Amino acid sequence: MTRRGARRRLGLLTCGTLLVAGCGSAEPDPGPSSPAGPAPATSRSFAPGAAGAGDPYFPSYGNGGYDVAHYTVKVRYDLETDKLSGTTTLRATATADLSAFNLDLAGLTVRSVTVDGTAARHSRTEDELVITPAIGLTSGNGFTAEIRYDGRPEPLRTEALGEGGWLHTTDGAIALGQPESASTWFPVNDHPSDKATYDMEITVPKGLTAVSNGVPKGRSTSGAWTTWKWSETAPTASYLTTVAIGKFRVTTGEHKGRPVYSAVTTQVAQGAPDRSIARTVEVADYLESVFGPYPFDAYGGVVVADDRIRYALETQSRPVYSASFFRQGDNTGVVAHELAHQWYGNSVSIQRWQDIWLNEGLATYAEWLWAEHDGSTTVQRSFEQKYANAGGQVWRTPPGKPGVANLFSRSVYDRGGMTVHALRVAVGDTAFFTILRTWAAERKNGNATTADFVALAERITGKKLAKVFDPWLYGTERPPAPKAL
């Protein structure tokens, strides 16, 4: 996510940019004479899945006891009434013997639920949807759940993080936000540790465009309604899903066999936003030369104009940018930041929110790399400016453990980027760029932690790197200027 202004919003990030908890039941004891393999159903102990994914910063985010493979989200949005109706079908595998499981769903009314085609009981506790299937779900087995729902979607608001999720706009709507947003428009395991693939079908009044993630799969019109279809076949963290509904200047094309689809709101004059987004594939190609192959099946970007959105977010394959980034003219720096997230944050996702510096530090560094490539300034000069001008709060806040209130602070971005540069200076360019490319390749489509990144760097360099990482990630004073080991 990319921030704009003095403060970045945590609910809807300006820059944009764990542990799967068990259900709590004990493993069944098959007994000394039981054969190998699953125990008979009569000997199993079924229990509800956890109402949280186990993230220390956000214990209630996500859920435990299952792993989702795919969502099919079909929604219809009526701009005039601000009403959303939808059916979401998810394919998942139980990771524990479940008598019930939770999904995250904020505000909307559930009309019916089925599990494997059979009606299931459901209840609500605030933003938790509790589903009780007719029979228990056995660990290791797949299941399908279908949820029908409707209502007027509202954004999520928290005192620490701000506002994120579904926003009604003057010409449509947008669903966007970090660290959570998806649960405002479809039932979901809303934590990045449970990534899944997506098919989206968004039906809107004829004349409006509905842009989402991945590859465009066409549109069809029936009467006064048009349905837009999108498919993201790479695993996606739920906060990286989006839909933008409104009137846009759409440009399409193809690059390296992949579709390019970008949309700029007609609420801003044609000019800098269009030119900047048009350079998306150029920027992506440069980053590919540094980080390795571009990880997704589509390119693009969306520019929106809404005073509540003063940030950019790396929504998968198609980042969303506030028009405010382009008021002073062309801005490919923000494009480089959000595209870098396609490797670091999207393809390689964090396992827990504490490690957000892995996303933002690497994306900030990508801005510096792009500025040098584009002839603006060197990476070393970008580092020196940040190092000299960072305020006391940057040094007092450790980016590797920022706390919830500082999750999207300047320390996470700027000091995160400086940490990346300190690593480069310490190990040299050959090892450094090998680390970046290997991180993207080995962790593609998965999740990782800071400890994983440090371990990789130590494996590639053959050196212990605590004296590099510890002061930059966890210290509360300004570290000395970096030097080679």
Side-chain angles (χ1 to χ4, degrees), residues 3 31 44 80 108 151 154 156 176 178 187 228 254 265 289 316 320 340 353-354 361 417 425 427 448 470 474:
R3 82 168 73 200
R44 289 185 176 273
E80 295 301 321
L108 300 169
E154 297 286 346
L156 293 165
L176 192 69
Q178 189 179 18
W228 299 76
E254 186 175 290
T265 176
S289 74
Q316 192 149 308
V320 175
W353 281 106
Q354 175 182 320
V425 172
V427 305
D470 286 358
Y474 304 112

Side-chain angles (χ1 to χ4, degrees), residues 27 44 63 75 151 172 180 192 293 367 378 434 484:
E27 287 294 322
R44 289 185 176 273
N63 304 283
V75 296
E180 60 176 346
E367 287 187 69
T378 65
T434 299

Side-chain angles (χ1 to χ4, degrees), residues 273-447:
D274 306 78
R275 291 191 300 269
S276 299
I277 300 305
R279 296 183 70 184
T280 289
V281 295
E282 176 191 353
V283 176
D285 282 354
Y286 165 70
L287 295 179
E288 188 174 57
S289 74
V290 180
F291 302 149
Y294 180 75
F296 300 123
D297 290 336
Y299 302 92
V302 180
V303 177
V304 298
D306 190 295
D307 289 341
R308 295 167 294 181
I309 301 172
R310 296 185 58 80
Y311 58 88
L313 184 62
E314 62 270 19
T315 45
Q316 192 149 308
S317 75
R318 194 160 289 110
V320 175
Y321 305 89
S322 166
S324 61
F325 281 101
F326 311 103
R327 286 176 183 162
Q328 303 304 315
D330 294 11
N331 184 350
T332 53
V334 67
V335 175
H337 186 110
E338 302 312 322
L339 288 180
H341 277 310
Q342 304 308 307
W343 284 265
Y344 308 124
N346 296 18
S347 180
V348 185
S349 298
I350 53 174
Q351 182 75 8
R352 58 183 187 179
W353 281 106
Q354 175 182 320
D355 294 323
I356 188 65
W357 85 272
L358 282 170
N359 298 1
E360 301 304 343
L362 285 163
T364 296
Y365 202 73
E367 287 187 69
W368 301 354
L369 289 167
W370 171 255
E372 182 171 276
H373 173 77
D374 206 33
S376 300
T377 187
T378 65
V379 171
Q380 180 62 28
R381 182 58 180 154
S382 294
F383 168 83
E384 290 169 352
Q385 289 176 335
K386 295 296 184 184
Y387 186 72
N389 297 323
Q393 185 63 33
V394 168
W395 305 119
R396 289 191 297 270
T397 302
K401 197 173 182 180
V404 174
N406 293 307
L407 198 62
F408 302 108
S409 66
R410 286 260 58 99
S411 175
V412 169
Y413 288 77
D414 295 345
R415 190 168 156 186
M418 286 188 273
T419 300
V420 177
H421 190 66
L423 174 64
R424 180 180 179 179
V425 172
V427 305
D429 280 8
T430 299
F432 173 75
F433 288 108
T434 299
I435 291 167
L436 296 190
R437 294 174 70 92
T438 305
W439 183 245
E442 291 187 354
R443 295 287 177 168
K444 181 178 180 180
N445 294 332
N447 298 81

